[in-house]
Amino acid sequence: MTVQQKMKTLTHFIKGEEVAGTSGRFSDVYNPTTGETIARVPLASKDEVQQAIQQAKEAFPAWKKMSIGKRVEVVHRFRQLLVTKQEELIEVICQESGKTKEDAKGEIIRGIESVDMAISAPQLLKGEYSVNVGGNINAFSAKSPLGVVATIAPFNFPVMVPLAITSMAVAVGNAVILKPSERVPHSALFLSQLWKEAGLPDGIWTVVNGDKEAVNELLENKEIQAISFVGSTPVAEYIYQTGTKHNKRVAAFGGGKNFMIVMPDANLEQTANAFLGAAYGAASQRCMAISGALVVGQDTEQRFTDILKQKISQLKIGPYTEDDVDFGPVISQQSKETIISYIDGAVTEGANLVIDGRNPKVCETSNGFYVGPTLLNNITPDMTIFKEEVFGPARIVVGVETLQEAIELINDHELGNGVTMFTSSGAAARKFQEEIEVGMVGVNVPIPIPVGYHNFGGWKRSKFGEGHMFGPDQARFFTKAKTISERWPDEMEDATSSFAFPSNNDAKS
């Protein structure tokens, strides 16, 4: 499947087939690079979602009974297809998200890490076994898939996040329903075709396109056993509260306000280079993007700001079709307007505009949704741009007097997704690691996102629920365990009744 230049009407993917929407409701899909409408995506009704769930439910028992080895063979073939069809997938990602080709390729590679983790499912599904816990009884545990599970993915990683929140769910034996962002539906449908080609049984992988009506049915339907979500904090909280209200297992990952602490002993040139990619890559549309720098010391703040100003002025934004572009547009005109409103508001509140990206030169020749790299300083913690996540290339520099002040500002923030620190001091790094109250921590690392075999998840209002994305915890999240006590008595053994609570005090050896 490839994305066509002309506008077309997309489908759902149900029971191994592309299925036209019947609700009569559609949403436009844009190419952010040009601003053009490239497709219409159907928005599923409650009835359509129910039908998709039923198809998944019917497919689940056979997939559950299939040996883990056979299931992993399918996952392994799917991985190979991701590699061989990578260039096609890069084009799909770029056209509907506006990412550069280099960034899209990096997203796919990180997504494959999650598939690799899913291939290790046989190891993660092993239970425990104890011999003769008492009275010739052996005790052991076994893990089983949950059934039909749902995942809701965001627009900013149309491939990596769906792979991260579905691969393990499929491998351990569940039937998975993916509700992708209606802004980037092509990528999910492309993945659907790869799963089918890999030999995944029909009904085990389902894509339902939709909006809140579809989401609410997934949250409320009694057949859905678990929900995994990635998106903004307000929606993550809604997903968690509604899903748990309906007795579902929920892992909901929200936004972040991720700061980089810059110490006076840091190499400022290296730190500034790290800041550029971490802050502005993918037009800053990453939940782990660096939102701003907390720079310790007035002199260090001034020097660091001067270096950033010079480097940012050399960044190039434009269409993904140009190889030397650093980043492209934001996802929509609405997003562009929201980002600009944050910049305007910060200036009104007293911030200083170091670099103004509100009207980049590329906008003179393109109707794409471009916002240039923007940098503000003279920021105080009571400003909106400090308190709220800005999902776009408006970044801030905040001066602080001490490392302790920086730690306290971060710990007082309601979001706790990721944080990093640049320093040459091991003592400072240790203090930082021990005292910071954030889920993912880096030292001299631009973006502290863990690799696919480590758990991903923030603290505070950046994550709701106890599940994780990536890592071995996913196998736990998408399975349930039973503990079995087993004894085979000798035929000659006396059969007597006991009314005491079972214990091994009087058990036969």
Side-chain angles (χ1 to χ4, degrees):
M1 177 191 135
T2 58
V3 176
Q4 304 295 323
Q5 292 297 322
K6 65 180 181 179
M7 177 142 69
K8 62 180 181 179
T9 300
L10 302 179
T11 64
H12 308 297
F13 186 86
I14 300 172
K15 203 175 181 182
E17 301 292 340
E18 293 187 359
V19 177
T22 59
S23 70
R25 297 189 305 124
F26 297 89
S27 179
D28 288 340
V29 182
Y30 296 92
N31 179 341
T33 301
T34 63
E36 296 174 329
T37 305
I38 56 174
R40 296 193 315 160
V41 61
L43 303 177
S45 66
K46 179 177 180 178
D47 288 344
E48 287 176 291
V49 178
Q50 289 176 345
Q51 292 170 19
I53 293 171
Q54 182 61 32
Q55 297 285 1
K57 180 183 176 182
E58 292 173 2
F60 165 68
W63 182 242
K64 173 187 176 181
K65 291 179 180 179
M66 185 179 292
S67 73
I68 181 60
K70 291 294 184 181
R71 293 203 300 262
V72 167
E73 284 182 12
V74 175
V75 179
H76 198 279
R77 289 194 295 270
F78 174 70
R79 184 198 189 280
Q80 292 302 109
L81 289 168
L82 283 170
V83 174
T84 58
K85 299 195 176 185
Q86 179 175 265
E87 292 303 316
E88 293 178 57
L89 187 51
I90 286 173
E91 181 67 23
V92 173
I93 294 171
C94 291
Q95 190 177 25
E96 70 177 359
S97 75
K99 289 189 177 188
T100 65
K101 291 184 178 181
E102 181 183 15
D103 194 33
K105 181 177 180 180
E107 173 180 349
I108 294 170
I109 292 171
R110 291 306 301 265
I112 288 174
E113 287 184 7
S114 294
V115 181
D116 289 338
M117 192 68 196
I119 291 172
S120 69
Q123 179 71 17
L124 297 171
L125 288 178
K126 290 193 302 185
E128 301 168 323
Y129 200 101
S130 296
V131 176
N132 194 17
V133 296
N136 290 325
I137 296 173
N138 296 341
F140 60 96
S141 61
K143 299 177 182 178
S144 301
L146 300 177
V148 182
V149 301
T151 59
I152 303 168
F155 74 83
N156 58 328
F157 287 102
V159 167
M160 187 190 77
V161 169
L163 292 179
I165 61 179
T166 63
S167 300
M168 185 65 75
V170 170
V172 299
N174 296 287
V176 175
I177 295 177
L178 169 65
K179 206 298 287 183
S181 167
E182 57 271 33
R183 295 175 179 176
V184 290
H186 292 95
S187 296
L189 295 173
F190 191 99
L191 294 178
S192 300
Q193 295 296 341
L194 298 190
W195 274 120
K196 186 174 181 66
E197 189 174 341
L200 189 69
D202 295 344
I204 298 303
W205 170 271
T206 299
V207 171
V208 174
N209 291 299
D211 54 8
K212 191 174 181 179
E213 182 174 344
V215 170
N216 282 341
E217 180 58 29
L218 293 173
L219 292 172
E220 298 170 8
N221 192 291
K222 64 183 180 62
E223 302 297 344
I224 300 294
Q225 303 302 311
I227 297 277
S228 183
F229 167 86
V230 179
S232 68
T233 289
V235 180
E237 185 172 29
Y238 172 80
I239 295 289
Y240 176 75
Q241 291 179 347
T242 307
T244 54
K245 177 183 176 181
H246 288 85
N247 302 314
K248 302 186 190 311
R249 189 177 293 183
V250 179
F253 303 89
K257 195 71 177 180
N258 312 312
F259 290 102
M260 174 187 288
I261 298 177
V262 181
M263 296 295 291
D265 60 4
N267 182 313
L268 296 188
E269 282 285 336
Q270 293 177 359
T271 304
N273 286 334
F275 182 91
L276 290 186
Y280 296 112
S284 309
Q285 297 174 122
R286 298 167 174 162
C287 67
M288 288 293 287
I290 293 300
S291 302
L294 298 181
V295 187
V296 178
Q298 186 174 358
D299 178 64
T300 307
E301 179 195 357
Q302 185 60 58
R303 289 189 293 126
F304 187 66
T305 302
D306 290 344
I307 294 171
L308 282 181
K309 182 177 181 179
Q310 186 269 331
K311 291 181 180 293
I312 293 171
S313 66
Q314 297 176 6
L315 295 179
K316 181 179 179 180
I317 66 171
Y320 70 90
T321 51
E322 296 182 11
D323 294 334
D324 58 346
V325 168
D326 294 299
F327 65 87
V330 296
I331 191 66
S332 68
Q333 180 65 26
Q334 180 183 13
S335 292
K336 176 180 177 177
E337 293 170 359
T338 299
I339 296 159
I340 291 175
S341 72
Y342 273 110
I343 299 170
D344 293 342
V347 172
T348 300
E349 291 182 71
N352 175 54
L353 200 54
V354 179
I355 295 285
D356 187 354
R358 288 174 289 184
N359 292 292
K361 189 174 181 179
V362 68
C363 288
E364 298 173 6
T365 57
S366 172
N367 292 320
F369 312 131
Y370 291 98
V371 181
T374 300
L375 186 70
L376 303 104
N377 65 359
N378 194 32
I379 303 295
T380 58
D382 60 330
M383 292 182 178
T384 302
I385 201 166
F386 181 91
K387 293 185 290 186
E388 297 184 10
E389 180 183 32
V390 181
F391 220 58
R395 310 288 86 170
I396 60 177
V397 173
V398 183
V400 294
E401 293 300 320
T402 64
L403 172 59
Q404 186 63 44
E405 182 184 352
I407 291 173
E408 289 174 0
L409 280 175
I410 294 169
N411 288 350
D412 287 344
H413 202 283
E414 68 171 2
L415 301 177
N417 214 33
V419 65
T420 190
M421 174 186 188
F422 277 73
T423 182
S424 298
S425 169
R430 179 167 182 169
K431 174 182 174 65
F432 166 68
Q433 293 174 43
E434 289 179 349
E435 296 184 13
I436 206 71
E437 296 176 4
V438 173
M440 290 167 285
V441 179
V443 175
N444 298 324
V445 174
I447 302 178
I449 182 172
V451 293
Y453 43 89
H454 280 265
N455 293 330
F456 172 108
W459 286 8
K460 297 182 280 190
R461 288 177 55 78
S462 288
K463 182 169 77 73
F464 301 87
E466 293 306 311
H468 288 84
M469 187 166 59
F470 303 167
D473 188 61
Q474 279 214 315
R476 180 203 63 79
F477 183 80
F478 286 115
T479 59
K480 53 189 175 184
K482 63 177 67 172
T483 303
I484 302 163
S485 299
E486 181 179 71
R487 179 174 182 267
W488 298 97
D490 189 294
E491 292 184 0
M492 302 302 293
E493 185 178 314
D494 292 336
T496 57
S497 297
S498 174
F499 296 93
F501 191 78
S503 72
N504 63 3
N505 287 341
D506 301 318
K508 298 177 182 178
S509 60

